[in-house]
């Protein structure tokens, strides 16, 4: 995610009778009817805001289990001079809206598979948040659902839309670094703890939990909404939520598939009210290339804090550090060449428009794909996002099992490790049924 400092600078409530959505192969040169599922801070302040700034879409429906968030999102649509969308607390009802063509799924990770597959079954195009799934088998079921539906899917990995990401790829492919022997991705950023609070009257926590276990209502100290990214029942933590962007970049730049071996070590040291590790180191082996992940969510004071967030590519001729908007090349003779700004400063006034453009470019691609009835021009396809998502899931599994994982890339099974194999899918809470079991 671009993180919150980027933001800081049921039942049908409205709508008419139900009809089947437009079929997935309908050709539409006009405005695309879209709905937004999940109106939290990211879904509203980033994704919905980006949609409203384009001329590509008409937001005709929004859905959330938080009535206050739902009303806030509706107000943002009207403030932009658009017609108030229909409001829903039940996504299946929203999917049946007349003329609906596409949906944004910006809900917590544990809900993505069921909501995505339901959208595919309705012939809806999908703009999907990452990680695409909570477990491995969900991701495989989602890929099958899209293959069957033939719908257009864009996954929200905005950093790949920057010029700097492509230029880093060009530098590496030019041979300037020589042979790449190791990659190191890291995020060192302070995160707070959690406290249990009373469930607000306007929040349907039972539906929020959905297929995941019914757990405590945990928030940060100053919040009144669940801090689900820190709860393992809903999310696999910092690496899966934020670090996944950099792992996706590495996979794209070096054209990697999925790891064949994964090991990890970490734990909870300070943020003990969380379920996910506040410090973690993972070693991924991509056919002999070691790619390391590292994060610390407390007390990290780097010798050079400008490199707290980013990726090192280590070659036999040079080393390159890549941030979101710049990079630095360190050559054999000790010289340093800096291009752009490597710091992570998404809230800076001169940087905000750059991050906004990343998102809007993804939506522009998405709209073009819908009109062409093709995923050919989509940068972040579901198939590639599923591989990146699986990579971070394997890392979390290795940490929790304290075991090395040996992976079969074709089946995504874990070899000779029954305990790990059992974690490829988790049991759903009744009455929900895991899509791999259908």
């Amino acid at each position: 995610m671009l993180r919150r400092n980027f933001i800081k600078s049921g039942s049908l409530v409205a709508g008419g009778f139900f009809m089947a959505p437009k079929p997935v192969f309908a050709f539409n040169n006009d405005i695309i009817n879209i709905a937004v599922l999940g109106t939290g801070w990211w879904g509203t302040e980033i994704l919905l805001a980006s949609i409203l700034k384009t001329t590509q879409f008409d937001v005709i429906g929004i859905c959330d289990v938080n009535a206050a968030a739902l009303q806030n999102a509706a107000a943002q649509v009207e403030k932009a001079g658009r017609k108030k969308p229909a409001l829903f607390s039940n996504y299946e009802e929203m999917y049946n809206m007349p003329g609906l063509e596409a949906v944004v799924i910006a809900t917590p990770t544990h809900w993505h598979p069921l909501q995505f597959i339901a959208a595919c079954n309705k012939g809806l195009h999908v703009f999907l948040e990452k990680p695409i799934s909570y477990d491995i088998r969900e991701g495989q079921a989602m890929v099958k659902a899209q293959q069957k539906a033939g719908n257009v899917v864009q996954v929200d990995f905005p950093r790949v839309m920057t010029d700097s990401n492509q230029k880093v790829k060009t530098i590496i492919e030019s041979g300037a670094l020589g042979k790449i022997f190791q990659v190191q991705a890291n995020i060192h950023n302070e995160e707070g703890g959690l406290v249990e609070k009373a469930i607000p009257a306007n929040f349907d926590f039972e539906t929020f939990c959905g297929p995941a276990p019914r757990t405590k209502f945990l928030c940060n100290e100053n919040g009144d909404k669940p801090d689900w990214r820190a709860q393992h029942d809903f999310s696999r933590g910092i690496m899966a939520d934020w670090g996944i962007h950099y792992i996706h970049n590495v996979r794209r730049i070096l054209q990697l598939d999925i790891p064949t071996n994964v090991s990890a070590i970490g734990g909870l040291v300070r943020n003990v009210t969380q379920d996910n590790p506040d410090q973690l180191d993972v070693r991924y082996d991509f056919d002999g290339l070691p790619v390391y992940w590292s994060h610390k969510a407390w007390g990290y004071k780097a010798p050079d804090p400008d490199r707290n967030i980013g990726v090192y590519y280590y070659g036999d001729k040079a080393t390159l550090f890549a941030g979101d908007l710049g990079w630095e090349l360190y050559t054999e003779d000790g010289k340093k060449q800096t291009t752009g700004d490597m710091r992570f400063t998404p809230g800076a006034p001169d940087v905000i428009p750059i991050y906004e453009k990343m998102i809007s470019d993804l939506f522009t691609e998405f709209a073009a794909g819908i009109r062409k009835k093709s995923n050919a021009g989509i940068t972040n396809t579901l198939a590639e996002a599923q591989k990146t998502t699986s990579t971070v899931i394997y890392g979390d599994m290795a940490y929790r099992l304290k075991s090395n994982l040996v992976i079969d890339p074709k089946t995504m099974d874990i070899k000779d490790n029954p305990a790990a194999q059992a974690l490829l899918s988790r049991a759903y809470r009744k009455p929900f049924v895991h899509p791999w079991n259908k």
Side-chain angles (χ1 to χ4, degrees):
M1 88 179 90
L2 303 187
R3 309 312 286 177
R4 299 191 188 204
N5 54 353
F6 181 32
I7 312 304
K8 291 176 181 177
S9 346
S11 61
L12 180 65
V13 179
F17 64 94
F18 294 135
M19 295 172 54
K22 292 182 180 180
V24 71
F25 295 113
F27 188 81
N28 177 18
N29 277 318
D30 301 319
I31 300 298
I32 297 165
N33 289 332
I34 197 168
V36 177
L37 173 53
T39 57
W41 68 274
W42 184 261
T44 300
E45 303 298 334
I46 298 297
L47 301 183
L48 179 60
S50 182
I51 293 169
L52 293 173
K53 288 178 182 177
T54 74
T55 59
Q56 307 287 328
F57 302 95
D58 186 12
V59 181
I60 65 172
I62 53 176
C63 180
D64 204 284
V65 297
N66 184 338
L70 193 60
Q71 292 295 336
N72 174 61
Q76 297 302 316
V77 176
E78 292 186 285
K79 186 177 179 180
R82 308 286 187 91
K83 181 182 177 181
K84 183 178 180 178
L87 311 184
F88 298 83
S89 61
N90 183 311
Y91 74 90
E92 292 172 309
E93 291 181 349
M94 186 174 73
Y95 285 2
N96 282 322
M97 288 189 74
L100 182 63
E101 297 172 86
V103 62
V104 173
I105 298 178
T107 49
T109 305
H110 68 285
W111 260 114
H112 289 177
L114 294 180
Q115 293 169 341
F116 176 84
I117 292 171
C120 290
N121 292 340
K122 289 290 185 180
L124 299 172
H125 307 287
V126 183
F127 187 100
L128 179 64
E129 267 306 313
K130 47 75 240 132
I132 69 161
S133 66
Y134 183 87
D135 70 40
I136 298 294
R137 296 305 192 209
E138 289 172 334
Q140 290 176 293
M142 294 165 76
V143 170
K144 288 183 178 179
Q146 190 206 7
Q147 290 172 344
K148 181 179 178 180
N151 54 338
V152 176
V153 178
Q154 175 80 281
V155 182
D156 190 13
F157 285 108
R159 285 171 175 80
V160 301
M161 306 303 286
T162 64
D163 289 342
S164 60
N165 203 62
Q166 181 57 46
K167 288 176 181 176
V168 166
K169 186 175 188 296
T170 300
I171 290 171
I172 291 173
E173 290 178 345
S174 74
L177 274 64
K179 182 178 179 180
I180 302 297
F181 280 96
Q182 181 180 319
V183 180
Q184 170 78 43
N186 60 259
I187 288 177
H188 302 300
N189 186 72
E190 188 144 350
E191 305 275 340
L194 302 180
V195 295
E196 185 175 5
K197 294 189 177 182
I199 301 172
N202 61 12
F203 197 102
D204 182 355
F205 190 57
E206 182 69 24
T207 299
F208 175 90
C209 292
R214 178 67 159 76
T215 186
K216 295 178 180 179
F217 190 84
L218 299 177
C219 312
N220 64 50
E221 292 182 359
N222 301 316
D224 60 357
K225 303 177 185 66
D227 194 349
W228 58 268
R229 293 173 178 84
Q231 296 177 256
H232 192 256
D233 287 330
F234 307 134
S235 169
R236 294 180 184 267
I238 292 171
M239 177 178 62
D241 177 52
W242 189 2
I244 191 172
H245 290 285
Y246 300 99
I247 293 171
H248 191 66
N249 281 2
V250 171
R251 284 195 58 255
R252 285 182 58 88
I253 287 172
L254 298 181
Q255 298 179 316
L256 305 178
D257 192 56
I258 64 170
T260 50
N261 288 269
V262 183
S263 58
I265 187 170
L268 281 163
V269 178
R270 288 190 59 183
N271 298 333
V272 295
T273 55
Q274 296 193 12
D275 299 326
N276 292 312
D278 60 6
Q279 52 92 17
L280 179 67
D281 291 280
V282 181
R283 184 189 190 277
Y284 295 105
D285 189 303
F286 289 88
D287 291 326
L289 175 67
V291 175
Y292 292 88
W293 165 261
S294 180
H295 79 243
K296 289 180 179 63
W298 46 266
Y300 187 86
K301 306 298 181 188
D304 189 344
D306 289 349
R307 292 160 187 78
N308 275 353
I309 298 171
V311 181
Y312 284 96
Y313 296 88
Y314 295 99
D316 60 356
K317 292 182 180 179
T319 295
L320 185 147
F321 176 82
D324 283 359
L325 305 177
W327 64 91
E328 198 158 70
L329 189 66
Y330 315 96
T331 55
E332 287 181 298
D333 56 9
K335 293 182 179 179
K336 183 170 63 176
Q337 303 171 12
T338 303
T339 304
D341 190 345
M342 296 171 301
R343 299 173 300 164
F344 183 74
T345 57
D350 60 331
V351 172
I352 287 175
I354 300 174
Y355 282 98
E356 289 178 339
K357 188 175 185 301
M358 296 180 197
I359 303 289
S360 65
D361 286 350
L362 287 177
F363 275 109
T364 298
E365 273 191 4
F366 184 48
I370 292 171
R371 293 195 175 98
K372 294 176 183 176
K373 303 171 289 184
S374 172
N375 284 281
I378 297 298
T379 296
N380 299 314
T381 64
L382 183 72
E384 282 301 304
Q386 188 252 347
K387 291 178 181 180
T388 300
T389 296
S390 297
T391 298
V392 299
I393 292 172
Y394 287 132
D396 182 65
M397 289 171 58
Y399 157 69
R400 300 208 172 258
L401 291 169
K402 296 179 173 57
S403 174
N404 180 65
L405 308 184
V406 180
I407 300 156
D408 182 339
K410 292 183 179 179
T411 63
M412 309 200 79
D413 288 345
I414 311 296
K415 299 178 181 178
D416 303 319
N417 192 328
Q421 183 72 9
L423 293 183
L424 293 179
S425 65
R426 70 164 171 180
Y428 272 21
R429 190 167 62 115
K430 294 182 179 179
F432 300 96
V433 179
H434 195 291
W436 188 253
N437 298 326
K438 289 185 176 180

